[in-house]
Amino acid sequence: MASDEMKPLRRDHGPAELMPLMAGSGVDATILVQCRHDLEETRDFLAIADKYSFVAGVVGWVDLRAEDVAEQLTALRLLPGGKRLVGIRHNVHDEPDAEWLCRPAVHRGIAAVFEAGLTFDLLVRTRELPAAIDLARRFPNGRFVLDHMGKPPIASGFSTFWEDAFRELAGYGNVWCKVSGLVTEADWSRWAPSDFDPYMQIAIDCFGPDRLIFGSDWPVSTLAASYSDVKSIATRLTAAAPSFADRFFERNAIAAYHLSTERNF
Protein backbone atom coordinates (compact mmCIF):
# COMPACT_ATOMS: atom_id res chain seq x y z
CA MET A 1 0.00 0.00 0.00
CA ALA A 2 1.24 3.47 -0.82
CA SER A 3 2.21 5.51 2.20
CA ASP A 4 -0.37 8.20 1.49
CA GLU A 5 -3.13 5.58 1.61
CA MET A 6 -2.20 4.84 5.21
CA LYS A 7 -2.05 8.47 6.26
CA PRO A 8 -5.50 8.46 7.98
CA LEU A 9 -4.17 5.89 10.45
CA ARG A 10 -1.17 7.98 11.48
CA ARG A 11 -2.78 9.52 14.53
CA ASP A 12 -3.94 8.31 17.91
CA HIS A 13 -7.17 6.29 17.94
CA GLY A 14 -8.32 5.98 21.54
CA PRO A 15 -11.12 4.69 23.75
CA ALA A 16 -13.05 7.96 23.66
CA GLU A 17 -13.37 7.64 19.89
CA LEU A 18 -14.17 3.94 19.89
CA MET A 19 -16.80 3.81 22.65
CA PRO A 20 -19.57 5.69 20.79
CA LEU A 21 -18.94 3.62 17.66
CA MET A 22 -19.35 0.43 19.66
CA ALA A 23 -22.47 1.72 21.40
CA GLY A 24 -24.01 2.71 18.08
CA SER A 25 -23.51 -0.81 16.76
CA GLY A 26 -24.65 -2.64 19.89
CA VAL A 27 -21.17 -3.84 20.87
CA ASP A 28 -20.44 -4.01 24.60
CA ALA A 29 -16.81 -5.12 24.75
CA THR A 30 -13.72 -5.42 22.61
CA ILE A 31 -10.27 -6.96 22.47
CA LEU A 32 -7.25 -4.75 21.77
CA VAL A 33 -4.89 -6.39 19.29
CA GLN A 34 -1.26 -5.50 18.70
CA CYS A 35 -0.17 -3.42 15.73
CA ARG A 36 3.60 -3.15 16.17
CA HIS A 37 6.45 -5.39 17.22
CA ASP A 38 6.85 -3.31 20.35
CA LEU A 39 6.61 -4.33 23.99
CA GLU A 40 5.80 -0.74 24.95
CA GLU A 41 2.64 -0.86 22.84
CA THR A 42 1.56 -3.99 24.71
CA ARG A 43 2.19 -2.26 28.04
CA ASP A 44 0.11 0.71 26.85
CA PHE A 45 -2.74 -1.60 25.80
CA LEU A 46 -2.74 -3.30 29.19
CA ALA A 47 -2.90 0.10 30.88
CA ILE A 48 -5.93 0.96 28.75
CA ALA A 49 -7.53 -2.37 29.68
CA ASP A 50 -6.92 -1.61 33.34
CA LYS A 51 -8.68 1.73 33.00
CA TYR A 52 -11.60 0.81 30.73
CA SER A 53 -13.83 -2.12 31.65
CA PHE A 54 -15.13 -2.52 28.10
CA VAL A 55 -11.70 -3.88 27.09
CA ALA A 56 -12.22 -7.58 27.69
CA GLY A 57 -8.72 -8.62 26.68
CA VAL A 58 -5.43 -7.70 25.04
CA VAL A 59 -3.58 -9.62 22.35
CA GLY A 60 -0.06 -8.31 22.72
CA TRP A 61 3.43 -8.93 21.38
CA VAL A 62 6.69 -10.39 22.61
CA ASP A 63 9.72 -11.39 20.60
CA LEU A 64 8.96 -15.06 20.08
CA ARG A 65 12.59 -15.77 19.13
CA ALA A 66 13.90 -14.55 22.49
CA GLU A 67 15.22 -16.98 25.08
CA ASP A 68 13.08 -15.43 27.83
CA VAL A 69 9.57 -15.44 26.35
CA ALA A 70 8.10 -17.03 29.49
CA GLU A 71 9.72 -14.37 31.69
CA GLN A 72 8.47 -11.58 29.43
CA LEU A 73 4.92 -12.91 29.63
CA THR A 74 5.14 -13.15 33.40
CA ALA A 75 6.35 -9.54 33.60
CA LEU A 76 3.49 -8.32 31.42
CA ARG A 77 0.95 -10.11 33.59
CA LEU A 78 2.28 -8.40 36.69
CA LEU A 79 1.55 -4.95 35.22
CA PRO A 80 -1.71 -3.05 35.86
CA GLY A 81 -4.16 -4.66 33.46
CA GLY A 82 -1.90 -7.69 33.10
CA LYS A 83 -4.71 -10.08 33.90
CA ARG A 84 -6.34 -8.98 30.64
CA LEU A 85 -3.48 -10.38 28.54
CA VAL A 86 -5.21 -13.15 26.59
CA GLY A 87 -3.00 -13.71 23.56
CA ILE A 88 0.10 -12.93 21.53
CA ARG A 89 0.45 -11.99 17.87
CA HIS A 90 3.26 -11.38 15.40
CA ASN A 91 2.83 -9.68 12.01
CA VAL A 92 3.91 -12.79 10.13
CA HIS A 93 2.73 -11.51 6.75
CA ASP A 94 5.35 -8.76 6.97
CA GLU A 95 8.23 -11.21 7.34
CA PRO A 96 10.32 -11.79 4.17
CA ASP A 97 10.42 -15.51 4.97
CA ALA A 98 7.14 -17.25 4.14
CA GLU A 99 8.14 -20.04 6.54
CA TRP A 100 8.98 -17.78 9.47
CA LEU A 101 6.49 -19.70 11.60
CA CYS A 102 8.42 -22.91 10.95
CA ARG A 103 11.63 -21.72 12.63
CA PRO A 104 12.65 -23.70 15.75
CA ALA A 105 13.17 -20.51 17.78
CA VAL A 106 9.65 -19.37 16.91
CA HIS A 107 8.27 -22.78 17.90
CA ARG A 108 9.99 -22.43 21.26
CA GLY A 109 8.40 -19.03 21.81
CA ILE A 110 4.94 -20.18 20.79
CA ALA A 111 5.26 -23.16 23.12
CA ALA A 112 5.88 -20.67 25.95
CA VAL A 113 2.76 -18.74 24.91
CA PHE A 114 0.66 -21.88 25.21
CA GLU A 115 2.30 -22.93 28.46
CA ALA A 116 1.19 -19.57 29.84
CA GLY A 117 -2.41 -20.41 28.85
CA LEU A 118 -2.58 -17.76 26.13
CA THR A 119 -3.90 -17.85 22.57
CA PHE A 120 -1.77 -17.22 19.49
CA ASP A 121 -3.22 -15.07 16.72
CA LEU A 122 -2.21 -15.97 13.17
CA LEU A 123 -1.74 -12.81 11.12
CA VAL A 124 -1.01 -14.34 7.73
CA ARG A 125 -1.87 -14.02 4.07
CA THR A 126 -2.26 -16.82 1.52
CA ARG A 127 1.54 -17.14 1.22
CA GLU A 128 1.95 -18.06 4.89
CA LEU A 129 -1.11 -20.30 5.29
CA PRO A 130 0.90 -23.54 4.73
CA ALA A 131 3.20 -22.58 7.62
CA ALA A 132 0.13 -21.82 9.77
CA ILE A 133 -1.24 -25.27 8.95
CA ASP A 134 2.04 -26.85 10.03
CA LEU A 135 1.89 -24.87 13.28
CA ALA A 136 -1.65 -26.02 14.09
CA ARG A 137 -0.51 -29.59 13.48
CA ARG A 138 2.54 -29.23 15.75
CA PHE A 139 0.60 -27.71 18.64
CA PRO A 140 -2.69 -29.64 18.84
CA ASN A 141 -3.28 -28.48 22.43
CA GLY A 142 -2.72 -24.79 21.67
CA ARG A 143 -5.44 -22.30 20.79
CA PHE A 144 -5.07 -20.36 17.52
CA VAL A 145 -7.15 -17.55 16.06
CA LEU A 146 -6.80 -16.92 12.32
CA ASP A 147 -7.07 -13.16 11.84
CA HIS A 148 -8.97 -11.65 8.92
CA MET A 149 -9.77 -15.08 7.43
CA GLY A 150 -6.18 -15.31 6.24
CA LYS A 151 -6.68 -12.16 4.14
CA PRO A 152 -8.28 -13.59 0.99
CA PRO A 153 -7.26 -11.53 -2.08
CA ILE A 154 -10.75 -10.17 -2.73
CA ALA A 155 -9.79 -7.18 -4.86
CA SER A 156 -7.57 -9.15 -7.24
CA GLY A 157 -9.99 -12.04 -7.66
CA PHE A 158 -10.87 -15.32 -5.98
CA SER A 159 -7.92 -17.57 -5.14
CA THR A 160 -8.39 -21.33 -5.09
CA PHE A 161 -5.01 -21.65 -3.36
CA TRP A 162 -6.31 -19.46 -0.53
CA GLU A 163 -9.53 -21.49 -0.33
CA ASP A 164 -7.75 -24.86 -0.30
CA ALA A 165 -5.33 -23.76 2.43
CA PHE A 166 -8.11 -22.08 4.41
CA ARG A 167 -10.18 -25.26 4.34
CA GLU A 168 -7.21 -27.36 5.41
CA LEU A 169 -6.44 -25.07 8.36
CA ALA A 170 -10.09 -25.18 9.40
CA GLY A 171 -9.76 -28.94 9.71
CA TYR A 172 -7.79 -28.44 12.92
CA GLY A 173 -10.25 -28.07 15.77
CA ASN A 174 -7.87 -25.90 17.80
CA VAL A 175 -8.17 -23.02 15.31
CA TRP A 176 -10.84 -20.31 15.42
CA CYS A 177 -11.39 -17.84 12.58
CA LYS A 178 -11.93 -14.11 12.94
CA VAL A 179 -14.25 -12.67 10.29
CA SER A 180 -12.63 -9.27 10.03
CA GLY A 181 -10.49 -7.12 7.77
CA LEU A 182 -12.40 -8.06 4.63
CA VAL A 183 -13.23 -4.50 3.54
CA THR A 184 -9.56 -3.59 3.25
CA GLU A 185 -8.88 -6.69 1.13
CA ALA A 186 -11.56 -5.52 -1.32
CA ASP A 187 -11.53 -2.44 -3.54
CA TRP A 188 -11.67 0.28 -0.89
CA SER A 189 -13.92 2.59 -2.89
CA ARG A 190 -16.06 0.14 -4.88
CA TRP A 191 -17.03 -2.71 -2.57
CA ALA A 192 -20.61 -3.85 -2.01
CA PRO A 193 -21.84 -5.91 0.98
CA SER A 194 -22.58 -8.87 -1.30
CA ASP A 195 -18.91 -9.02 -2.36
CA PHE A 196 -18.10 -10.68 0.95
CA ASP A 197 -20.89 -13.25 0.99
CA PRO A 198 -18.95 -16.01 -0.86
CA TYR A 199 -16.05 -15.71 1.57
CA MET A 200 -18.26 -15.71 4.65
CA GLN A 201 -20.12 -18.73 3.27
CA ILE A 202 -16.83 -20.61 2.96
CA ALA A 203 -16.00 -19.58 6.53
CA ILE A 204 -19.23 -20.95 7.96
CA ASP A 205 -18.92 -24.10 5.85
CA CYS A 206 -15.40 -24.73 7.14
CA PHE A 207 -15.39 -23.52 10.73
CA GLY A 208 -19.05 -23.96 11.60
CA PRO A 209 -21.00 -21.88 14.13
CA ASP A 210 -18.70 -22.54 17.09
CA ARG A 211 -15.34 -21.32 15.73
CA LEU A 212 -16.15 -18.04 14.00
CA ILE A 213 -15.54 -14.70 15.74
CA PHE A 214 -16.57 -11.21 14.69
CA GLY A 215 -13.81 -8.63 14.49
CA SER A 216 -14.13 -4.97 13.56
CA ASP A 217 -10.44 -4.43 12.66
CA TRP A 218 -10.96 -0.85 13.82
CA PRO A 219 -9.31 1.55 13.09
CA VAL A 220 -7.63 -0.09 10.06
CA SER A 221 -11.07 -0.85 8.61
CA THR A 222 -11.82 2.89 8.41
CA LEU A 223 -9.63 3.03 5.31
CA ALA A 224 -12.52 1.41 3.46
CA ALA A 225 -15.63 1.44 5.69
CA SER A 226 -17.16 2.73 8.90
CA TYR A 227 -17.43 0.68 12.09
CA SER A 228 -21.17 0.32 11.53
CA ASP A 229 -20.61 -0.80 7.92
CA VAL A 230 -18.30 -3.57 9.10
CA LYS A 231 -20.80 -4.71 11.73
CA SER A 232 -23.58 -4.66 9.13
CA ILE A 233 -21.57 -6.81 6.72
CA ALA A 234 -20.86 -9.36 9.45
CA THR A 235 -24.53 -9.45 10.41
CA ARG A 236 -25.28 -10.84 6.93
CA LEU A 237 -23.59 -14.03 8.12
CA THR A 238 -26.03 -14.48 11.01
CA ALA A 239 -29.23 -13.14 9.43
CA ALA A 240 -30.62 -16.58 8.63
CA ALA A 241 -29.65 -18.10 11.99
CA PRO A 242 -30.28 -15.79 14.97
CA SER A 243 -29.06 -18.46 17.40
CA PHE A 244 -25.65 -18.27 15.74
CA ALA A 245 -25.34 -14.53 16.41
CA ASP A 246 -24.83 -15.05 20.14
CA ARG A 247 -21.85 -17.28 19.46
CA PHE A 248 -20.40 -15.24 16.60
CA PHE A 249 -20.53 -11.90 18.39
CA GLU A 250 -19.75 -13.10 21.92
CA ARG A 251 -19.37 -16.67 23.10
CA ASN A 252 -16.85 -17.92 20.56
CA ALA A 253 -14.44 -15.13 21.49
CA ILE A 254 -14.85 -16.02 25.16
CA ALA A 255 -13.94 -19.63 24.34
CA ALA A 256 -11.02 -18.85 22.03
CA TYR A 257 -9.37 -16.32 24.33
CA HIS A 258 -10.55 -17.70 27.69
CA LEU A 259 -12.06 -14.33 28.55
CA SER A 260 -13.41 -13.68 31.99
CA THR A 261 -17.19 -13.90 32.19
CA GLU A 262 -17.44 -11.99 35.44
CA ARG A 263 -18.46 -8.82 33.59
CA ASN A 264 -21.29 -8.27 31.15
CA PHE A 265 -19.85 -8.16 27.64
Side-chain angles (χ1 to χ4, degrees):
M1 294 180 184
S3 59
D4 58 340
E5 291 180 311
M6 306 301 288
K7 187 176 180 180
L9 298 180
R10 296 195 181 100
R11 65 174 181 81
D12 288 341
H13 296 77
E17 185 176 355
L18 177 59
M19 286 190 289
L21 300 177
M22 292 172 55
S25 294
V27 177
D28 299 319
T30 193
I31 296 174
L32 298 185
V33 181
Q34 70 86 223
C35 301
R36 303 191 303 272
H37 297 164
D38 183 0
L39 267 175
E40 192 58 38
E41 178 191 69
T42 300
R43 296 186 187 105
D44 289 343
F45 281 4
L46 292 174
I48 291 172
D50 188 53
K51 183 177 180 181
Y52 294 93
S53 62
F54 76 90
V55 178
V58 170
V59 175
W61 179 87
V62 295
D63 184 353
L64 294 169
R65 299 163 298 181
E67 297 283 349
D68 64 341
V69 171
E71 289 78 6
Q72 289 186 58
L73 294 173
T74 297
L76 288 172
R77 284 178 146 170
L78 291 174
L79 294 172
K83 291 182 179 179
R84 304 276 179 87
L85 184 69
V86 297
I88 295 295
R89 185 174 85 164
H90 186 91
N91 298 350
V92 176
H93 63 32
D94 290 337
E95 294 290 344
D97 182 7
E99 296 187 346
W100 188 88
L101 284 170
C102 298
R103 297 181 179 186
V106 174
H107 288 170
R108 184 182 63 241
I110 291 175
V113 169
F114 292 143
E115 286 168 8
L118 302 175
T119 300
F120 185 70
D121 270 32
L122 294 162
L123 183 55
V124 298
R125 296 185 187 275
T126 304
R127 183 192 71 148
E128 300 87 26
L129 277 171
I133 292 166
D134 179 72
L135 201 63
R137 182 187 303 118
R138 286 178 180 272
F139 293 96
N141 296 319
R143 300 190 312 277
F144 295 93
V145 173
L146 176 64
D147 288 340
H148 314 321
M149 290 181 55
K151 291 181 170 278
I154 300 171
S156 60
F158 191 86
S159 166
T160 55
F161 184 82
W162 166 81
E163 181 184 6
D164 290 345
F166 181 83
R167 288 184 180 278
E168 185 174 354
L169 183 59
Y172 293 88
N174 58 330
V175 182
W176 284 258
C177 176
K178 197 182 296 179
V179 178
S180 61
L182 298 183
V183 290
T184 47
E185 296 306 314
D187 185 316
W188 293 2
S189 60
R190 292 193 177 94
W191 61 264
S194 59
D195 293 343
F196 310 108
D197 290 347
Y199 298 92
M200 293 195 294
Q201 186 60 53
I202 291 172
I204 190 66
D205 288 346
C206 293
F207 282 90
D210 293 321
R211 289 190 292 138
L212 289 180
I213 301 168
F214 166 70
S216 70
D217 196 31
W218 185 92
V220 177
S221 58
T222 60
L223 294 169
S226 67
Y227 190 102
S228 61
D229 284 338
V230 171
K231 174 71 183 307
S232 179
I233 290 167
T235 301
R236 294 170 67 89
L237 186 62
T238 63
S243 61
F244 169 45
D246 182 54
R247 285 173 280 180
F248 180 54
F249 288 111
E250 177 181 357
R251 297 194 180 279
N252 292 348
I254 292 172
Y257 290 107
H258 282 195
L259 302 177
S260 170
T261 56
E262 292 178 0
R263 294 168 300 124
N264 292 323
F265 293 143

